[in-house]
Amino acid sequence: MTPLQNRVLPTGEIVSHPAQGMLMGNRGCIHSPERTLGVSRWRTKMWISCVLNWRDRWRDVMPPGRWTALFFLDEATALAAGHRPCGYCRRADHRWLAECWRVASGMAVRPLAVEMDGWLHAERVDRRTRRQVRRQVTAGALPDGAMVRYHGGPALCCGGALLPWSFDGYGAPVSTSPRTRVELLTPPSIVAVLAAGYRPLVHPSAGPTSMRSFSSSIDLEQPRVK
């Protein structure tokens, strides 16, 4: 049986692949009654990432006319694609990211979800081509957790090296110079959030990192911001 087209790449593209991933999310309802995708890749600017299991609720991944469940390898992947933490099932992470956003931007108060959604949408999608916006940067200017395109494929910035990305996890670190030119996939506002202290959840194949690992016991609903 062919897997549904609901797996998300760090580039934001949605493809068919058997790997489930460690987070899910959505961009509104983008599937047909036949459970296939058409041309549209979003119906709302509210792109979120959610836990797979929340209060033991089970839902159809493609209910008619409601929403389309998308799946990500981990949070670094979701952030690169432009998805912020959900304010319901990931409330603590949502507030933590918003607080880091406030610090990074010099705002007096944390931004509302709708404000972050508007800014992110402008950064992640080219209005003319409706494709992901990418930027040329140097590897040394990026914090851990940012995603780039290097040597033709996505890679995670981690400890001064790049970890090649795949649906099954990360490959061995690739050493680079701080001056190495890479194509940035993660939206600039999220890069600033990472630099301000937000630590995304990453697949355990990344190994010991400055980020959080899904292999550790983390209470996703524990408040981190007062």
Side-chain angles (χ1 to χ4, degrees), residues 32-53:
S32 70
E34 292 74 34
R35 298 164 74 87
T36 59
L37 271 59
V39 175
S40 178
R41 289 296 178 266
W42 68 87
R43 295 291 185 185
T44 175
K45 293 181 180 180
M46 185 180 71
W47 295 17
I48 58 175
S49 63
C50 306
V51 294
L52 296 178
N53 183 6

Side-chain angles (χ1 to χ4, degrees), residues 100-200:
C100 289
W101 191 306
R102 181 196 69 77
V103 171
S105 62
M107 300 173 67
V109 297
R110 291 197 296 267
L112 299 175
V114 66
E115 294 175 311
M116 292 189 289
D117 291 339
W119 289 323
L120 282 175
H121 198 68
E123 291 181 354
R124 67 194 170 209
V125 177
D126 184 290
R127 295 179 61 184
R128 182 177 58 85
T129 65
R130 297 176 72 82
R131 295 179 181 273
Q132 184 188 47
V133 177
R134 303 175 189 178
R135 300 159 178 89
Q136 293 292 323
V137 298
T138 56
L142 299 175
D144 284 3
M147 282 274 193
V148 302
R149 188 175 179 86
Y150 183 66
H151 284 182
L156 174 70
C157 295
C158 181
L162 298 178
L163 306 184
W165 180 98
S166 77
F167 279 109
D168 298 316
Y170 296 101
V174 176
S175 297
T176 60
S177 162
R179 297 186 298 276
T180 299
R181 301 291 294 179
V182 293
E183 192 174 44
L184 178 63
L185 303 179
T186 306
S189 290
I190 296 298
V191 173
V193 163
L194 296 172
Y198 185 78
R199 296 185 297 120

